[in-house]
Amino acid sequence: FIPANSKELATFHYHPSPNSAYPSRQDLRLFANNAFNFIACFPYQIADTNAFNSKGKPIPFEIVE
């Protein structure tokens, strides 16, 4: 766990259920402190991951190698 007053730019966490990579009310409170927030869900592939801004609005992202 990272303190909410630290200087991180993003969060990443997962939800164990399929099709649940969307923020809960608790997630939205956490999101307010970060520019980028990622949620993955089972089976934990890139296609099962969504990104959101600090207000919980979906934002596009790309994995770059």
Side-chain angles (χ1 to χ4, degrees), residues 6-43:
S6 63
K7 303 287 185 191
E8 76 274 0
L9 295 176
T11 64
F12 185 99
H13 72 278
Y14 68 92
H15 293 170
S17 302
N19 304 314
S20 65
Y22 298 94
S24 66
R25 277 190 263 169
Q26 290 176 330
D27 293 334
L28 292 173
R29 284 194 289 261
L30 173 68
F31 286 6
N33 297 318
N34 303 91
F36 306 98
N37 301 278
F38 297 87
I39 302 175
C41 65
F42 183 84

Side-chain angles (χ1 to χ4, degrees), residues 49-62:
T49 304
N50 291 322
F52 302 92
N53 67 14
S54 63
K55 298 190 184 311
K57 302 292 182 194
I59 55 175
F61 73 97
E62 178 182 355

